Amino acid sequence: MTAPVNGAARGRAPEGYDKYAFEPFAVTVDLAVLTLRAGALHVLLVERGHEPYAGRWALPGGFVLPHESAEEAARRELAEETGLSDVSGLRLEQLRTYSQPDRDPRMRVVSVAFAALLPDAPEPHGGGDAAQAQWLRYNALGPLAFDHDRILADAHDRIGAKLEYSCIATAFCPPEFTLGELRQVYETVWGTALDPPNFRRKVLATPGFVEPVPGAARLTGGRGKPAALYRAGTADTLHPPLLRPSTSVSPASPPSSPSPTTSASTPSPEGRPA
Amino acid sequence: MTAPVNGAARGRAPEGYDKYAFEPFAVTVDLAVLTLRAGALHVLLVERGHEPYAGRWALPGGFVLPHESAEEAARRELAEETGLSDVSGLRLEQLRTYSQPDRDPRMRVVSVAFAALLPDAPEPHGGGDAAQAQWLRYNALGPLAFDHDRILADAHDRIGAKLEYSCIATAFCPPEFTLGELRQVYETVWGTALDPPNFRRKVLATPGFVEPVPGAARLTGGRGKPAALYRAGTADTLHPPLLRPSTSVSPASPPSSPSPTTSASTPSPEGRPA
DNA sequence: TGACTATTGGTCATGTTGACTATAAAGAGT
DNA sequence: ACTCTTTATAGTCAACATGACCAATAGTCA
């Protein structure tokens, strides 16, 4: 609730809040910025320079400023960390909020986590921040700082689930892409191989998922037969969904996240929804 | 991020946090507690006694205490507001975090919203809190306090989506229930009628969704042929999903939530799938 | 008794998916 | 130039899931 009807009497009472006390927390955002590079899932990480977890990799992020929402803070941090110019059009999905009291040994920090999907992978030029940001392969990550292993695993779960029933896969692709590239998004995130003809049939049968580029343009870059180019459509949901094959365990192993630091929540499918 | 690498220099620096400043926010939880009563979706609401929004209905909730996570705070508030004894086994799902700077006119409050599903509807006996809590029909709600209209609408969206690909529908049901009661959960939340034979076929074909009560027990309460009793199974995902009929608009109108107070997030399908 | 209601069992047509075969069009290697 | 490899694309076919039904059963209600 927003109104402090309950008298949880601690801390100072701020101005205009005479009868009700509260405990001030620091509120931050954490970003799981994902992209596909050379057919592998990559994550944007920064190397920590201070204790705790000095030298460890961590998700980029920062404090929510007094005048901005968590979404605005996430977008600002995304621009700062990646050095991108037009983060305005990027899809930013709120994952969940991590609030374990001991997740930061220094003080009480509540963090709102977001996931962002980038089409290509421009090398991040540290936009003024301390440690340099860098793309690292999702599969080859040591333990991250804080509870960032779990945040990243949650992000991966959520994105994998949303691929099933939404059209966000195009967010990983450049403005014009082939169906093979789109299929590779699914294959990389899910860690499974998909049948190209069946995938094609499904995508083209879903109105608004993709639309062909008018000029009969074809990409003749790599090996094999040149593929037709498509653009992202206007639809954002996938009815019926494109379910991942149930008979396989994902070979793309998530980073080590042994301790469930937060409780009482289902991972995602939600994605299936959710 | 958890570590304040960026120097967002504002506010006081707390002890042990010398080099980095932060802005203290109040962190609360808001609960969208849903139940089915007489075939209609009901929400647990409290009447506000103070300004702002005095006299308006609001979602129950309260501050996160220094030693607890948001999930623990939500569970504690749930017990306090409903007067239930065993909230430990209840499913509590984190929805998202609402952080618009102006969502509370008094001060900066960031709120983590949760949804909870209750089987039956015990009349809440205000567990010590000020305004009395009460069940109100979801369809017959005036505008709520703060951004609670939107939180509630998000909760409804999320639950409706999760019904498609998860087994949470049983969370609305008592320990033993008939397939007709389970079907009514879907029909009430989705606002659509479902074909009883087809629903039955789908549910029984999904391993682990429900399991029959051994003693061939049957419920012979109301009208019609007595129905077999089932218990919730062990599965929590629904493969393949139970998609809601796409060719109908939900007649169950959500409460008025005209202004999108938060930005940059997709509602749910997460729903389906999330 | 008869009307009514809800559960349960079943069929049938349709739509979707998974597995698979085949052809086309490019580059790489010899 | 020729072959091999790679990828895209077209198409088929069976298994499966779904939506729309029909019918029988077993209770309550008047």
Side-chain angles (χ1 to χ4, degrees):
Chain A
M1 90 170 207
T2 307
V5 172
N6 307 353
R10 287 172 219 224
R12 300 163 301 123
E15 61 167 329
Y17 234 96
D18 37 63
K19 301 169 75 169
Y20 313 109
F22 72 104
E23 180 70 17
F25 296 170
V27 177
T28 62
V29 291
D30 283 320
L31 271 73
V33 188
L34 302 175
T35 196
L36 255 59
R37 264 190 139 183
L41 194 62
H42 282 67
V43 196
L44 186 68
L45 294 173
V46 296
E47 194 171 5
R48 287 187 51 78
H50 311 277
E51 289 293 339
Y53 300 102
R56 286 269 191 94
W57 293 100
L59 298 178
F63 285 111
V64 177
L65 301 183
H67 60 280
E68 64 186 4
S69 67
E71 283 76 12
E72 290 164 350
R75 204 167 288 277
R76 173 179 53 75
E77 290 288 341
L78 181 62
E80 291 178 5
E81 304 280 355
T82 61
L84 286 179
S85 54
D86 66 333
V87 288
S88 59
L90 283 182
R91 178 183 290 266
L92 209 52
E93 165 135 352
Q94 189 180 126
L95 282 177
R96 43 169 288 163
T97 294
Y98 298 82
S99 60
Q100 279 296 110
D102 57 352
R103 60 184 296 277
D104 189 318
R106 292 162 297 184
M107 65 170 299
R108 189 64 199 271
V109 177
V110 169
S111 190
V112 187
F114 291 83
L117 311 184
L118 292 196
D120 46 2
E123 205 58 48
H125 61 72
D129 266 9
Q132 68 273 22
Q134 208 171 317
W135 293 107
L136 274 89
R137 290 180 70 105
Y138 181 79
N139 301 23
L141 292 181
L144 304 181
F146 305 105
D147 52 0
H148 291 188
D149 286 316
R150 163 168 262 269
I151 297 178
L152 188 52
D154 286 351
H156 184 251
D157 282 356
R158 174 78 70 95
I159 298 304
K162 288 210 85 165
L163 287 183
E164 291 193 327
Y165 57 91
S166 81
C167 301
I168 50 158
T170 55
F172 279 109
C173 296
E176 297 189 348
F177 51 88
T178 69
L179 293 187
E181 293 172 312
L182 188 65
R183 179 166 45 83
Q184 212 181 17
V185 172
Y186 281 85
E187 293 180 330
T188 304
V189 176
W190 285 351
T192 56
L194 297 178
D195 183 64
N198 290 344
F199 179 82
R200 171 189 189 79
R201 176 181 56 186
K202 174 69 180 174
V203 171
L204 294 183
T206 302
F209 194 174
V210 299
E211 50 190 29
V213 172
R218 314 205 134 226
L219 187 70
T220 173
R223 279 190 291 275
K225 180 177 175 179
L229 287 178
Y230 293 87
R231 276 199 272 267
T234 55
D236 49 25
T237 56
L238 207 44
H239 264 303
L242 174 47
L243 300 175
R244 74 186 96 184
S246 52
T247 58
S248 76
V249 189
S250 162
S253 59
S256 61
S257 61
S259 60
T261 58
T262 335
S263 64
S265 174
T266 40
S268 70
E270 175 116 16
R272 235 283 204 167
Chain B
M1 90 173 208
T2 306
V5 172
N6 308 353
R10 293 182 210 213
R12 300 163 303 123
E15 62 168 327
Y17 233 95
D18 37 65
K19 300 168 75 170
Y20 312 110
F22 72 105
E23 180 70 17
F25 295 171
V27 177
T28 63
V29 291
D30 282 320
L31 272 72
V33 188
L34 302 175
T35 195
L36 256 60
R37 264 190 139 186
L41 194 62
H42 282 68
V43 197
L44 186 68
L45 294 173
V46 296
E47 194 172 4
R48 288 186 50 80
H50 310 277
E51 288 294 336
Y53 300 104
R56 286 269 191 94
W57 293 100
L59 298 178
F63 285 111
V64 177
L65 301 182
H67 60 280
E68 64 185 3
S69 67
E71 282 77 11
E72 291 163 350
R75 205 167 287 278
R76 172 178 54 76
E77 291 288 341
L78 181 62
E80 290 178 5
E81 304 280 356
T82 62
L84 286 179
S85 54
D86 66 332
V87 289
S88 59
L90 282 182
R91 176 182 292 265
L92 210 52
E93 165 135 352
Q94 190 181 125
L95 282 177
R96 45 169 284 161
T97 294
Y98 298 82
S99 60
Q100 280 295 109
D102 56 353
R103 59 184 297 277
D104 189 319
R106 292 163 298 183
M107 64 172 298
R108 189 64 199 271
V109 177
V110 169
S111 189
V112 187
F114 291 84
L117 311 183
L118 291 197
D120 46 3
E123 205 57 48
H125 61 72
D129 265 8
Q132 68 272 23
Q134 207 171 317
W135 292 108
L136 273 90
R137 289 180 71 106
Y138 181 80
N139 301 24
L141 292 181
L144 304 181
F146 304 105
D147 52 0
H148 291 188
D149 286 316
R150 163 168 263 269
I151 298 179
L152 188 52
D154 286 351
H156 185 250
D157 282 356
R158 173 80 69 96
I159 298 303
K162 289 209 85 166
L163 286 183
E164 292 193 326
Y165 58 91
S166 82
C167 301
I168 50 157
T170 55
F172 278 109
C173 296
E176 297 189 347
F177 52 87
T178 69
L179 292 186
E181 293 173 312
L182 187 65
R183 178 167 45 82
Q184 212 182 16
V185 173
Y186 281 85
E187 293 181 330
T188 304
V189 175
W190 285 350
T192 56
L194 297 178
D195 183 65
N198 290 343
F199 179 81
R200 171 190 189 78
R201 176 181 58 186
K202 175 69 181 175
V203 170
L204 294 183
T206 303
F209 194 173
V210 299
E211 49 190 29
V213 172
R218 311 202 138 228
L219 188 68
T220 172
R223 281 188 290 274
K225 180 176 176 177
L229 287 177
Y230 293 86
R231 274 199 273 267
T234 56
D236 48 27
T237 57
L238 207 44
H239 265 301
L242 174 47
L243 300 175
R244 74 186 97 184
S246 52
T247 58
S248 78
V249 188
S250 163
S253 60
S256 61
S257 62
S259 59
T261 57
T262 335
S263 65
S265 174
T266 40
S268 72
E270 184 92 17
R272 165 122 284 296

